[in-house]
Amino acid sequence: MYAIVEIAGKQYKVREQDRLYVPRQQAEVDETLTFDRVLLVSNDDEVRVGTPVVEGARVQARVLDHVKADKVLVFKKKRRKRFKVKRGHRQPYTRIEISAVSL
């Protein structure tokens, strides 16, 4: 069984026991999150597509950790003007584990 779920405006294909990185969630470590925006649920023999969401479908996940992505460097320069700026950015993510996909 798998599901397509929308988390923070992005769509993820999830199964039970999957671990994935999602945009930072406001939850503590080992807390359980429930996602109601399930767009599609597929069993072995049946596929249910929502309009826009599947009624009664839920995905439960457990927060494993809060991490940051690799650093992205932003370098700006204007030639012959003695201007250059170097900045870095690390996007915050939450690592979750899918514990249940239910209809």
Side-chain angles (χ1 to χ4, degrees):
M1 172 183 251
Y2 72 90
I4 306 293
V5 62
E6 182 177 325
I7 302 171
K10 298 181 180 182
Q11 296 176 9
Y12 298 92
K13 180 180 178 180
V14 297
R15 290 190 164 99
E16 289 187 17
Q17 306 301 318
D18 277 356
R19 294 181 176 189
L20 59 141
Y21 294 96
V22 296
R24 176 71 185 237
Q25 301 292 311
Q26 296 298 321
E28 298 295 324
V29 176
D30 286 334
E31 191 174 328
T32 301
L33 298 174
T34 302
F35 301 110
D36 295 331
R37 301 249 336 140
V38 179
L39 306 176
L40 179 140
V41 177
S42 174
N43 287 337
D44 295 331
D45 56 347
E46 179 187 11
V47 176
R48 293 180 62 186
V49 180
T51 54
V53 296
V54 178
E55 294 297 325
R58 286 187 159 70
V59 173
Q60 290 185 345
R62 185 172 61 95
V63 176
L64 298 176
D65 198 12
H66 295 293
V67 296
K68 289 186 179 182
D70 293 336
K71 183 172 279 194
V72 176
L73 294 178
V74 179
F75 186 76
K76 297 180 182 181
K77 181 179 179 181
K78 294 184 181 179
R79 62 183 191 165
R80 297 187 303 268
K81 303 297 181 193
R82 294 183 187 167
F83 174 81
K84 58 184 176 181
V85 176
K86 181 178 173 183
R87 294 193 178 119
H89 175 75
R90 294 183 69 187
Q91 190 71 24
Y93 286 106
T94 300
R95 186 169 180 232
I96 62 172
E97 180 180 17
I98 305 300
S99 57
V101 176
S102 61
L103 286 173

